Amino acid sequence: MTRGRAVSRRRTLTIVLAATVLAACGPDKAAPNESLASEVENRHVNVLYWQAVSTMNPYLSGGTKDVEAASLVIEPLANYDDKGEMVPVLAAEIPTRENGGVADDMTSITWTLKRDVVWADGTPFTARDVVFTGEYCLHEEIGCSADASFTDVQILEALDDHRVRLTFSVAKPVPYGPFVGAITPIIQYEQFKDCTGIRAPECTAENFGPVGTGPFKVDEFRANDVISFSANELFRESGKPWMKTVTLKGGGDAASSARAVLETGEYDYAWNLQVEPEILDQMATAGKGEVVMAFGTNVERLVVNQTNADAGFGPERRSLLLEGTNPHPFLADPVVRRALSLAIDRRLLVEAGYGPSGRVTCNIVPAPPSYASTANERCRKPDADEANRILDEAGWIPGADGVRSKGGIRLSILYQTSTNSVRQGTQALVKQMWQQIGVETELRNIDGGVFFGSDPASPDTFQKFYADVQMYTSNFQGADPEFYMAAWVCEEAPDPGNQWLGTNVARGCSAEFDGLAERLAATPYGDERFEIAKRMNDIVVQNHFLIPLVWRASTSARSMSLKGVRMNPWDSELWNIEDWHR
């Protein structure tokens, strides 16, 4: 049925265009078929996300690919623009204390919605949809991947059809977590009202084809493959989107995606080009497209498992944070974790895999500058000698094969990441660096669509983390890290109870960190807030729960004919697709 709608929509578009061209040519002239076909093709955009999209419901996935694909259809109250500043989307304005939208005691925020906005099915968008979305995410039976954004939300209420008030349990000087940015868009009450709690993952039709207010709607969704979109005729902005249809294709790899835009011109836009710089430069000489790049808060990091992922335990215990009863056999030792970090030559990783699109970083929060700690700069210089010294001192002794062990436990690491040539190159280099300190490393790579997928039954997702160390990039939306860092509190560890949607993937747990998270939530912008955030960064980094490697630019490619693209490292890269044109 979905396929049929896609076909009929294209047929209708053809008839309208044909009538327009014929009128322009006059009654005695016929428009050439080539001209009509060219116009239809001109209004179509082909997008490549080599990590294939697995769901159109971002609340059931932590993968950027899923969040960004969904942003074509479902929208938040506000987005962050390409400068990291909030801009209203479904809201009439950004609430502040000055305009009365934020209470003087900072315990509530009131959003006023734009009037006359309708869903793509023609029904009105109202405050009930907003309140329902919050309730959906905060459902007691199952959380959502974005629940850290709803930290301290106590009451959600619709004051009328166009006003929503969120009341917090504490004063929130920065109350812009819920419904701001592509990770917390509004879903339709009527469509999802029977899909809450444990039923949420079962609603396949809804999760694959949400009704939205955005510039496009889903015509056909094939999980981990391709999505066909058509323009939402009821989109609130007249004349937009300029593009009439979109194909978002998944699969392959970053290099082939780059080639399809820069060399062959088969596609118009390719996302997340984690490709060796010399290869990108060579492809760009074809003149079909150009690389677009911007630095935000993307950090390629190692995530160091603090729990035991031994396959012999079974899913009821494997990689679970069980109140200290399931520690990792050797990564629970802080000396081992520190040694792993000391051995890494980050500058070499940048030079080999990133070039101008990468910078060495010793922080998980590298920007904005006011939040960037200076306490970890020692990581910029590798020190294998020091790593070997502290391991010797801690009793980790090299065996005949050069691999260290202690009490019968070998320093043998399963190191996994998504399939990507740069990541596999980084893995190979890190393996060599760790070999120099007596650590044995087995490398594993998993298809990105699976690794960052949303299937709670899959053993290969990054949230399950059935390995010792894994590597990927993560970032935060906007210019404040509060809700990003709240994702690392103890209770956010993924487990079956939250359908593996928890965000503290390392399972590192610090009482000091949890306390600082509460303080950060209640502290206004200024030096105290900046210092709290820096300390939280330092706890995670100095405990080596996360080991930062490379501060990555958001790097994608667009065809020379595609105009209106504004690279955005602070939100979805597709945030302004309604303005794309030729």
Side-chain angles (χ1 to χ4, degrees):
M1 185 177 292
T2 304
R3 187 184 302 273
R5 284 202 299 272
V7 172
S8 65
R9 180 169 304 286
R10 178 64 60 86
R11 187 176 296 136
T12 302
L13 175 62
T14 302
I15 292 169
V16 171
L17 288 172
T20 302
V21 175
L22 283 168
C25 293
D28 299 322
K29 297 180 182 180
N33 289 336
E34 293 81 4
S35 175
L36 177 59
S38 176
E39 176 66 13
V40 172
E41 182 178 353
N42 198 38
R43 292 288 185 116
H44 178 80
V45 63
N46 288 307
V47 179
L48 267 176
Y49 270 50
W50 56 272
Q51 293 172 9
V53 177
S54 56
T55 181
M56 288 289 291
N57 185 346
Y59 290 111
L60 299 182
S61 172
T64 301
K65 62 194 174 64
D66 302 322
V67 171
E68 299 204 356
S71 72
L72 275 70
V73 176
I74 50 179
E75 303 176 295
L77 299 183
N79 273 127
Y80 294 100
D81 67 11
D82 50 342
K83 298 177 182 178
E85 299 174 353
M86 279 185 292
V87 291
V89 178
L90 293 175
E93 62 181 354
I94 304 299
T96 64
R97 293 179 71 183
E98 289 71 25
N99 64 24
V102 176
D104 287 339
D105 64 2
M106 297 178 290
T107 60
S108 70
I109 181 172
T110 300
W111 290 89
T112 299
L113 311 182
K114 289 178 178 175
R115 294 179 178 271
D116 301 323
V117 174
V118 297
W119 295 96
D121 62 6
T123 59
F125 162 70
T126 70
R128 179 176 68 168
D129 298 302
V130 181
V131 171
F132 169 75
T133 300
E135 294 170 343
Y136 175 96
C137 187
L138 294 171
H139 197 284
E140 61 183 11
E141 289 180 348
I142 179 175
C144 72
S145 62
D147 61 357
S149 296
F150 291 83
T151 300
D152 300 319
V153 172
Q154 189 174 45
I155 302 171
L156 297 106
E157 55 186 327
L159 302 180
D160 53 41
D161 281 351
H162 296 98
R163 289 187 302 152
V164 177
R165 182 165 61 205
L166 283 70
T167 302
F168 303 100
S169 57
V170 297
K172 297 285 285 189
V174 184
Y176 305 111
F179 314 126
V180 178
I183 63 172
T184 56
I186 311 304
I187 57 176
Q188 188 189 50
Y189 166 76
E190 283 297 332
Q191 185 181 30
F192 283 90
K193 63 184 179 182
D194 297 323
C195 296
T196 59
I198 59 174
R199 285 213 59 214
E202 301 170 1
C203 291
T204 303
E206 292 81 0
N207 295 329
F208 286 1
V211 174
T213 57
F216 292 93
K217 53 189 179 182
V218 179
D219 287 339
E220 182 179 14
F221 182 94
R222 283 186 270 165
N224 301 314
D225 184 8
V226 65
I227 314 169
S228 297
F229 301 90
S230 61
N232 174 10
E233 301 93 335
L234 301 179
F235 187 56
R236 63 189 171 278
E237 295 190 46
S238 177
K240 296 183 181 181
W242 192 89
M243 296 294 178
K244 298 304 180 186
T245 53
V246 178
T247 297
L248 196 157
K249 182 75 173 71
D253 54 53
S256 63
S257 293
R259 186 172 297 109
V261 173
L262 300 174
E263 270 190 0
T264 69
E266 298 169 81
Y267 280 79
D268 298 297
Y269 192 85
W271 164 84
N272 190 22
L273 299 185
Q274 197 172 15
V275 180
E276 292 83 352
E278 64 273 13
I279 295 177
L280 284 180
D281 289 344
Q282 178 59 38
M283 290 178 180
T285 62
K288 297 291 181 91
E290 69 172 0
V291 174
V292 289
M293 184 175 75
F295 279 91
T297 58
N298 284 312
V299 173
E300 184 85 351
R301 81 283 304 278
L302 298 178
V303 183
V304 184
N305 203 342
Q306 296 305 288
T307 57
N308 196 342
D310 190 320
F313 287 156
E316 71 281 355
R317 182 177 175 187
R318 191 179 182 189
S319 256
L320 300 185
L321 186 66
L322 300 174
E323 298 181 354
T325 63
N326 191 37
H328 193 281
F330 58 85
L331 292 176
D333 184 342
V335 172
V336 174
R337 303 196 300 270
R338 180 172 175 237
L340 295 178
S341 180
L342 282 168
I344 297 173
D345 186 343
R346 291 162 173 82
R347 192 166 302 280
L348 177 58
L349 301 184
V350 169
E351 291 172 356
Y354 296 88
S357 68
R359 300 170 183 171
V360 171
T361 184
C362 298
N363 293 318
I364 293 297
V365 178
S370 54
Y371 286 106
S373 173
T374 58
N376 309 298
E377 293 303 288
R378 183 176 178 180
C379 95
R380 294 181 176 274
K381 184 177 180 180
D383 196 341
D385 290 340
E386 175 66 5
N388 278 310
R389 185 193 70 77
I390 64 175
L391 287 170
D392 287 340
E393 189 177 84
W396 294 97
I397 308 302
D401 58 358
V403 178
R404 294 178 180 272
S405 65
K406 179 180 178 180
I409 298 173
R410 287 164 55 87
L411 295 189
S412 182
I413 286 176
L414 175 59
Y415 170 14
Q416 69 181 19
T417 189
S418 62
T419 303
N420 169 279
S421 63
V422 171
R423 285 192 168 137
Q424 270 67 82
T426 298
Q427 279 185 305
L429 289 171
V430 172
K431 178 178 179 176
Q432 293 174 12
M433 296 167 191
W434 285 348
Q435 187 175 13
Q436 296 175 13
I437 64 170
V439 175
E440 178 181 64
T441 309
E442 175 188 350
L443 303 181
R444 182 184 186 216
N445 64 83
I446 303 167
D447 177 84
V450 175
F451 188 60
F452 298 110
S454 60
D455 183 0
S458 171
D460 295 322
T461 63
F462 77 101
Q463 294 104 327
K464 288 283 183 68
F465 198 1
Y466 290 163
D468 303 305
V469 171
Q470 62 184 358
M471 180 174 68
Y472 54 83
T473 291
S474 187
N475 68 340
F476 56 91
Q477 295 188 334
D480 186 88
E482 176 188 335
F483 303 103
Y484 175 65
M485 302 178 90
W488 305 327
V489 298
C490 300
E491 67 178 13
E492 282 294 330
D495 60 39
N498 56 33
Q499 290 286 301
W500 301 99
L501 291 173
T503 47
N504 181 6
V505 178
R507 282 79 168 174
C509 188
S510 163
E512 181 188 0
F513 184 94
D514 284 14
L516 288 170
E518 293 182 3
R519 281 186 58 197
L520 185 68
T523 303
Y525 282 122
D527 290 345
E528 183 182 0
R529 184 176 182 83
F530 304 150
E531 291 306 313
I532 292 171
K534 289 176 185 178
R535 177 57 190 153
M536 292 172 72
N537 172 89
D538 295 346
I539 289 172
V540 173
V541 170
Q542 292 169 11
N543 275 294
H544 304 98
F545 299 150
L546 305 175
I547 299 177
L549 301 176
V550 179
W551 181 10
R552 286 181 52 194
S554 295
T555 305
S556 297
R558 70 162 184 91
S559 69
M560 289 301 190
S561 70
L562 183 63
K563 309 301 182 183
V565 173
R566 292 164 60 189
M567 187 56 158
N568 189 343
W570 309 104
D571 208 321
S572 167
E573 286 189 24
L574 306 178
W575 71 290
N576 75 325
I577 195 169
E578 65 268 27
D579 295 324
W580 291 10
H581 61 279
R582 298 190 195 280

